[in-house]
């Protein structure tokens, strides 16, 4: 009898151990993943009895806030409506959370400090969320939305402080009003709107060819590597064969031997294609990665809702390394060749040049403040990478000033303020005049405080005509 009992004891012990391991796995090791799973609404339902913190804009106005009804249940509302549908998002028990509401959920629900929260509950104090203060500027945000919508059917703009990485504008249009999608039916309807795709934050998702704005990256690699200077001459004639395929300049114009500085001002495609081929894929890859390409942005925002800026040539049609045999380095160097970049990434390109070669991590949040007004967390400026030498940044800045003073970006000029910039025009339908237009830049050029990237899709025209004036107006508003 002892032997069967011993076996039964061992089996029972093993079953108990398996139960203990399984329970520990889900309740301890996987607890954080479960709480932050977008399909798990239990924490959000529980949080309806907790005052969720307010999200503030830089001017102190509320972007998101919670009010309590007679039954003690809190309801989320968004006083500024569509203005900050992107990037703040929404938080509802019925559909979950998105964007900054999701990323800062622990702070907003008071769950960040679990020990303090538990102690306060034991002494009878109600759990409350902390407030989140952002660097977003309402007037500039609205201006960006209005002007992009007036020019094209969709587009995006990002403006940030190059010295700190603080994001001042993150505008994407078409946008949406988070007050109107509080149930699954309305959210599903917005998701099925394939024409407008209002829930897509074009500032950080699904990049597109940045066109000639990418020539700033190529110019940086050329000068910082020591292979070129702003006065180096390159062949700017149209019709040259790049990767055995003829490449044309705008209006098929020949420029002959042209300096690198003038080639940037006049946005000469063949000149930069030649520079790209001379630099080679390895050098281009090194500088692209320094700028942040081929990795998701280091923004305080859900990683799974951001896209990396990559090279995706056709073939093969999916992201590859810039050193891949499928990459046409000449066309990539001028911002085409399957290159896909988001406005945030291109704003960071401008910011790195503006900040003397140092790229700061971008961030939407500036502070987290508790209900007693005490700052519990401050988001301090943080270095993401050193992209180039200060001397290179100074040289590229002078070249970008030339773009606005005498080149393709004259419509970005601000009276009394020196602007550095670069236009971009990416042809989306070959053989037509339908383009995605871009502008990146910063101001004041001698002491930069704002770096910006603007893109508008499906425009008949050029970046200097459509994107540059929008960027100018955003910078002018933020410099007031």
């Amino acid at each position: 009898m002892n032997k069967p009992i011993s076996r039964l004891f061992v089996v029972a012990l093993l079953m108990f151990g398996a139960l203990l391991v399984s329970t520990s796995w889900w309740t301890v090791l996987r607890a954080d993943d479960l709480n932050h799973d977008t399909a798990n609404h239990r924490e959000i339902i529980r949080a309806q009895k907790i005052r969720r913190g307010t999200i503030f804009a830089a001017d102190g106005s509320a972007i998101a806030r919670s009010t309590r009804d007679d039954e003690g249940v809190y309801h989320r509302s968004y006083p500024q409506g569509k203005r900050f549908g992107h990037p703040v998002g929404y938080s509802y028990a019925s559909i979950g959370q998105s964007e900054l509401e999701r990323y800062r959920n622990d702070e907003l629900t008071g769950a960040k400090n679990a020990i303090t929260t538990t102690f306060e509950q034991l002494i009878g104090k109600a759990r409350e969320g902390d407030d989140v203060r952002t660097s977003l500027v309402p007037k500039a945000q609205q201006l960006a939305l209005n002007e992009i919508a007036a020019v094209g059917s969709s587009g995006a703009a990002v403006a940030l402080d190059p010295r700190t990485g603080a994001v001042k504008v993150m505008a994407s249009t078409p946008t949406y009003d988070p007050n109107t999608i509080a149930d699954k039916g309305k959210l599903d309807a917005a998701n099925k709107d394939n024409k407008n795709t209002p829930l897509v934050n074009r500032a950080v998702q699904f990049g597109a060819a940045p066109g000639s704005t990418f020539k700033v990256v190529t110019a940086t690699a050329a000068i910082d590597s020591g292979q070129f200077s702003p006065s180096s001459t390159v062949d700017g004639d149209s019709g040259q064969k790049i990767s055995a395929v003829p490449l044309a300049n705008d209006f098929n114009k020949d420029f002959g031997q042209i300096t690198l500085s003038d080639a940037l001002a006049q946005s000469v495609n063949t000149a930069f294609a030649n520079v790209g081929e001379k630099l080679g894929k390895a050098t281009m890859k090194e500088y692209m990665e320094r700028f942040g390409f081929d990795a998701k942005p280091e923004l305080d925002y859900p990683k799974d809702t951001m896209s990396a800026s990559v090279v995706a040539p056709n073939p093969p049609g999916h992201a590859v390394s810039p050193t891949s045999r499928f990459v046409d380095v000449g066309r990539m160097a001028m911002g085409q060749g399957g290159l896909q970049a988001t406005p945030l990434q291109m704003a960071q390109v401008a910011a790195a040049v503006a900040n003397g070669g140092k790229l700061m991590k971008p961030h939407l949040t500036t502070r987290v403040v508790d209900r007693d007004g005490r700052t519990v967390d401050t988001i301090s400026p943080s270095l993401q990478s050193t992209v180039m030498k200060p001397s290179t940044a100074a040289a590229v800045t002078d070249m970008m000033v030339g773009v606005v003073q005498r080149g393709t970006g004259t419509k970005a000029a601000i009276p009394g303020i020196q602007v550095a910039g670069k236009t971009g025009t990416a042809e989306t339908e070959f053989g037509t005049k339908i383009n995605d237009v871009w502008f990146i830049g910063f101001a004041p050029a001698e002491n930069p405080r704002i770096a910006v990237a603007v893109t508008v899709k499906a425009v008949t025209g050029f970046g200097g005509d459509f994107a540059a004036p929008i960027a100018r107006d955003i910078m002018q508003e933020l410099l007031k």
Side-chain angles (χ1 to χ4, degrees):
M1 289 293 292
N2 288 337
K3 206 167 190 178
I5 291 173
S6 297
R7 288 174 179 169
L8 183 61
F9 175 75
V10 171
V11 170
L13 191 63
L14 289 173
M15 291 175 66
F16 178 77
L19 179 63
L20 183 63
V21 169
S22 177
T23 303
S24 300
W25 173 257
W26 289 109
T27 60
V28 179
L29 298 176
R30 292 296 309 279
D32 190 62
D33 290 341
L34 285 174
N35 282 335
H36 292 87
D37 190 331
T38 55
N40 179 15
H41 300 163
R42 185 175 301 159
E43 179 63 23
I44 300 175
I45 293 170
R46 189 187 304 124
Q48 284 186 295
K49 294 286 186 176
I50 301 168
R51 190 207 74 90
R52 188 177 181 84
T54 302
I55 301 177
F56 291 99
D59 65 356
S61 61
I63 297 175
R65 64 185 175 202
S66 293
T67 54
R68 187 180 180 184
D69 65 19
D70 294 337
E71 297 180 356
V73 174
Y74 286 94
H75 300 274
R76 202 66 164 164
S77 65
Y78 300 88
Q80 304 201 38
K82 288 184 177 182
R83 182 179 292 169
F84 291 111
H86 304 297
V88 170
Y90 55 79
S91 177
Y92 294 112
S94 57
I95 58 174
Q97 301 161 317
S98 71
E99 301 176 273
L100 191 65
E101 284 269 36
R102 177 178 155 201
Y103 187 88
R104 293 291 177 189
N105 183 64
D106 284 354
E107 292 92 337
L108 290 164
T109 59
K112 193 68 175 177
N113 190 335
I115 296 175
T116 301
T117 299
T118 303
F119 175 74
E120 289 175 343
Q121 288 175 328
L122 287 172
I123 64 174
K125 185 176 179 181
R127 175 176 158 185
E128 291 187 323
D130 294 332
D131 295 336
V132 169
R133 299 186 180 275
T134 74
S135 51
L136 295 164
V137 179
K139 286 186 178 180
Q141 177 85 1
Q142 190 63 57
L143 182 151
L145 290 170
N146 290 347
E147 293 200 9
I148 293 171
V151 170
S153 59
S154 65
V158 173
L160 48 81
D161 186 334
R163 303 165 297 182
T164 65
V167 177
K168 305 288 187 178
V169 170
M170 183 180 281
S172 174
T173 184
T175 185
Y176 70 99
D177 185 347
N179 292 299
T180 65
I181 57 167
D183 62 63
K184 192 173 186 305
K186 292 175 182 177
L187 180 66
D188 287 345
N191 274 319
K192 291 175 182 176
D193 185 356
N194 294 325
K195 179 181 179 182
N196 296 309
T197 56
L199 299 182
V200 173
N201 185 352
R202 292 165 174 81
V204 293
Q205 291 177 298
F206 307 119
S212 295
T213 58
F214 187 78
K215 290 171 183 173
V216 173
V217 176
T218 304
T220 297
I223 296 169
D224 202 65
S225 66
Q227 297 187 54
F228 291 83
S229 72
S231 60
S232 297
T233 58
V234 287
D235 188 350
D237 279 342
S238 189
Q240 297 179 55
K241 287 188 176 181
I242 304 296
S243 295
V245 179
L247 176 66
N249 294 322
D250 288 337
F251 307 110
N252 204 31
K253 186 175 179 180
D254 291 325
F255 290 88
Q257 291 297 312
I258 186 172
T259 67
L260 190 63
S261 183
D262 285 340
L264 190 73
Q266 301 302 322
S267 203
V268 183
N269 291 338
T270 53
F272 275 89
N274 281 321
V275 170
E277 290 198 327
K278 175 72 181 298
L279 292 174
K281 294 177 181 180
T283 298
M284 288 299 300
K285 178 179 185 290
E286 177 185 351
Y287 281 90
M288 288 170 70
E289 289 179 347
R290 292 187 191 184
F291 275 111
F293 284 81
D294 211 24
K296 291 194 175 183
E298 297 187 33
L299 181 70
D300 50 342
Y301 198 84
K303 287 289 184 186
D304 60 356
T305 59
M306 293 190 290
S307 301
S309 296
V310 297
V311 188
N314 190 15
H318 60 264
V320 298
S321 168
T323 57
S324 166
R325 65 186 178 87
F326 295 105
V327 171
D328 180 340
V329 67
R331 284 175 171 79
M332 182 183 72
M334 49 167 276
Q336 300 262 187
L339 188 63
Q340 297 176 2
T342 65
L344 175 59
Q345 174 61 73
M346 296 314 298
Q348 289 191 277
V349 168
V353 178
N355 197 39
K358 294 186 180 299
L359 178 62
M360 308 304 289
K361 290 182 181 179
H363 57 90
L364 294 160
T365 308
T366 57
R367 285 188 299 148
V368 178
V369 181
D370 69 15
R371 290 293 289 164
D372 295 321
R374 296 171 299 195
T375 297
V376 297
D377 190 17
T378 299
I379 286 65
S380 301
S382 178
L383 180 68
Q384 178 172 321
S385 66
T386 298
V387 180
M388 68 197 87
K389 298 183 286 288
S391 59
T392 302
V396 176
T397 294
D398 288 342
M399 293 167 66
M400 293 174 70
V401 167
V403 173
V404 177
Q405 288 184 341
R406 67 180 190 278
T408 59
T410 55
K411 291 184 180 179
I414 300 173
I417 298 174
Q418 194 172 64
V419 177
K422 183 68 192 83
T423 58
T425 304
E427 190 175 33
T428 59
E429 298 179 32
F430 293 104
T432 74
K433 296 181 180 179
I434 306 299
N435 304 308
D436 289 347
V437 297
W438 289 78
F439 183 87
I440 66 171
F442 53 89
E446 65 278 9
N447 184 26
R449 290 158 48 199
I450 296 297
V452 65
V454 173
T455 184
V456 186
K457 290 187 172 294
V459 171
T460 304
F462 295 89
D465 295 323
F466 293 98
I470 299 172
R472 173 199 64 206
D473 292 348
I474 294 171
M475 289 188 286
Q476 199 163 20
E477 177 63 36
L478 290 170
L479 290 171
K480 285 182 178 177

